[in-house]
Amino acid sequence: MNSYRSLRIALLGAGSVGSQVARLLLEQHDELAARVGAPLELVGIGVRDVDAPRDVDLPRELLTTDLGTLVAGADIVVELLGGIEPARGLLLDAIAAGADVVTANKALVAAHGPELFQAAETVGAQVAYEAAVGGAIPIIRPLEQSLAGDRVTRVMGIVNGTTNFILDRMHTEGSSLEEALRIATELGYAEADPTADIEGFDAASKATILASLAFHTEVPASRVHREGITGVTDAMVQQAERNGRVLKLVAICERLPGEPGGDARDRVSARVHPVSLPATHPLAAVHEAMNAIFVTAESAGDLMFYGAGAGGPETASAVLGDLVSIARRHVAGGPGMPGSTHAKLGLAPFGDVVARHEVALTVSDRPGVLAAVAGLFSEQGVSVESVRQDPTDGSAALVLGTHAASEARIADVLEALEAHTDVERIDSVIRLID
Ligand code: NAP
């Protein structure tokens, strides 16, 4: 049997994920001990209210509201509180006392990851956060370890289940965004306040984490371009479908070429916005609240990681994976693995990102308007690839597809369109991915 002493595990939070982690630690105690080479002793569970109803029956004597004392005596702290404080302060205290930490908190890792990693490196501790992106999907470790010898060029993923559920409903059921959001809330996919999901904040946190890991470069959350799904209309969904396409909210992290005439080294771009994908694209087949992350690396080629992006037991699987791996290192000895930000690549402004766009407009229905509108595109150096025109009552609906053009050029085109007397309104702008 094990000769190594028990490892003291402090669990912070007993909500959807924390209660499942506690259950697994208690139910699978012997098997986990055998895998680690030391028993994992759950010494306490920090909560706000020890009497609150829980998804899992937990031993009352383990629950405490004194999180500071709980953290002080632990070998490994598992943080499943959510939010920035008190999570950040408690983890910094734990690390300062020499503990390793596991967290599923994407908001915290995105906003304060470098601070936590630096603190851990100073004392030889480890910060693990597999569950912070893609729930059950192993994506952090593949980027950090399996692909450590390769050169990742792009990470593109559906990393928010709520918005994927909503867009999927709009396509498959013809629901409006509002109806789809209401169903997502009823089914427990969306929070009472859905802002973090539908405005893209949650996906942007994940883009920060993925881009930093993939390109060995700190990518602050403030440098991630973010657009949510609130601008997606029924007409955009129908337009995509007419062209054999599907709308998805994606996080895209990629290497862009160095600045023309400046630093020749690649730059990093991280962004979140809706895209129109061909229905045959692997990400188009990701339905309901599922997540998938598509990674392209120079030698490995295309890799796709698919699975449940949320859910108590599913997310607990990733947390337990981190816990076992950290506990094994305790038994084996040696310091934690530091974060890798050695590349220190520059960050490209969103305006430098290049994509094909589809712009839908309502214009006055008079001769010469089409040529005038197309002229506005070419004046900005944006070449138009396709035009479709549908006359309506006194107006005309135009859909112009562009060749690849920078976001800066497209922004200039949109400004010129808005100022043009024949343009009644810009109905939608969507980026196309092939
Ligand atoms: P949750 O259900 O809201 O549970 C939060 C837990 O933390 C509760 O037990 C709560 O105590 C406790 N807590 C919160 N603030 C506290 C404070 N100030 N002091 C003491 N206890 C406090 O959250 P969750 O869904 O399990 O999520 C936990 C973390 O996992 C979050 O960072 C989330 O982003 C991440 N995550 C969740 C999922 C998912 O599917 N749910 C997926 C991936 C990642 P009481 O119970 O007493 O109120």
Side-chain angles (χ1 to χ4, degrees), residues 77-101:
V77 174
V78 180
E79 185 273 309
L80 298 167
L81 302 170
I84 303 298
E85 296 293 354
R88 172 182 159 274
L90 288 163
L91 291 190
L92 287 171
D93 288 349
I95 292 167
D100 291 319
V101 302

Side-chain angles (χ1 to χ4, degrees), residues 156 240 243-248 275-286 356 431-434:
M156 177 167 78
N243 298 330
R245 289 179 161 267
V246 179
L247 302 185
K248 295 284 185 193
V275 295
S276 170
L277 295 165
T280 49
H281 192 284
L283 290 181
V286 179
R356 290 171 59 218
R431 295 156 187 114
L432 306 178
I433 287 197
D434 299 316

Side-chain angles (χ1 to χ4, degrees), residues 13-17 47-49 54 80-82 86 104-106 131 310-311 315:
S16 311
V17 185
V47 292
R48 248 181 318 228
D49 174 5
R54 313 248 160 237
L80 298 167
L81 302 170
N105 191 336
K106 56 242 159 186
T315 308

Side-chain angles (χ1 to χ4, degrees), residues 82-428:
I84 303 298
E85 296 293 354
R88 172 182 159 274
L90 288 163
L91 291 190
L92 287 171
D93 288 349
I95 292 167
D100 291 319
V101 302
V102 177
T103 178
N105 191 336
K106 56 242 159 186
L108 179 66
V109 178
H112 297 283
E115 181 185 20
L116 294 170
F117 303 143
Q118 185 54 53
E121 198 173 338
T122 308
V123 298
Q126 175 92 49
V127 179
Y129 52 100
E130 181 62 72
V133 181
I137 305 173
I139 182 64
I140 301 298
R141 210 165 282 125
L143 285 172
E144 198 172 48
Q145 297 180 23
S146 321
L147 290 165
D150 207 333
R151 196 178 157 85
V152 175
T153 53
R154 188 160 83 148
V155 180
M156 177 167 78
I158 294 170
V159 291
N160 181 271
T162 309
T163 47
N164 198 57
F165 179 88
I166 292 170
L167 294 177
D168 193 44
R169 278 275 160 151
M170 291 176 79
H171 275 287
T172 55
E173 308 285 330
S175 310
S176 66
L177 191 132
E178 292 72 23
E179 277 163 10
L181 173 59
R182 187 180 48 74
I183 296 164
T185 311
E186 275 170 20
L187 294 176
Y189 291 131
E191 308 268 333
D193 176 1
T195 310
D197 292 322
I198 63 176
E199 296 292 358
F201 289 102
D202 175 81
S205 290
K206 291 160 180 171
T208 298
I209 297 171
L210 292 172
S212 302
L213 262 179
F215 306 122
H216 306 274
T217 293
E218 249 175 56
V219 180
S222 59
R223 298 296 301 272
V224 178
H225 174 88
R226 175 188 55 78
E227 292 170 39
I229 61 164
T230 46
V232 175
T233 60
D234 302 355
M236 288 167 76
V237 168
Q238 286 153 17
Q239 184 183 310
E241 284 177 1
R242 272 197 299 273
N243 298 330
R245 289 179 161 267
V246 179
L247 302 185
K248 295 284 185 193
L249 183 74
V250 294
I252 303 176
C253 313
E254 67 183 344
R255 280 176 189 272
L256 295 186
E259 225 170 324
D263 188 346
R265 293 189 321 144
D266 286 349
R267 293 173 298 161
V268 171
S269 161
R271 53 198 191 266
V272 169
H273 54 65
V275 295
S276 170
L277 295 165
T280 49
H281 192 284
L283 290 181
V286 179
H287 294 293
E288 303 251 305
M290 298 305 277
N291 281 195
I293 299 155
F294 202 71
V295 178
T296 308
E298 271 179 11
S299 303
D302 289 337
L303 305 165
M304 175 125 150
F305 301 82
Y306 170 88
E314 294 87 346
T315 308
S317 161
V319 172
L320 260 288
D322 278 346
L323 189 49
V324 166
S325 123
I326 279 185
R328 281 181 177 151
R329 191 185 53 74
H330 264 272
V331 175
M337 196 174 60
S340 166
T341 52
H342 66 89
K344 297 187 172 46
L345 297 177
L347 304 177
F350 184 61
D352 287 4
V353 170
V354 169
R356 290 171 59 218
H357 290 72
E358 202 168 70
V359 181
L361 303 168
T362 303
V363 297
S364 26
D365 192 12
R366 65 164 190 82
V369 171
L370 180 53
V373 165
L376 295 179
F377 281 76
S378 63
E379 273 166 29
Q380 300 301 334
V382 175
S383 114
V384 173
E385 186 183 26
S386 64
V387 182
R388 218 189 50 238
Q389 181 170 15
D390 301 319
T392 54
D393 252 358
S395 311
L398 283 186
V399 180
L400 292 101
T402 75
H403 284 288
S406 74
E407 293 289 347
R409 294 284 168 129
I410 295 290
D412 289 341
V413 170
L414 296 177
E415 203 178 306
L417 286 168
E418 261 162 14
H420 199 278
T421 46
D422 283 320
V423 177
E424 289 176 16
R425 62 175 180 272
I426 299 171
D427 294 304
S428 64

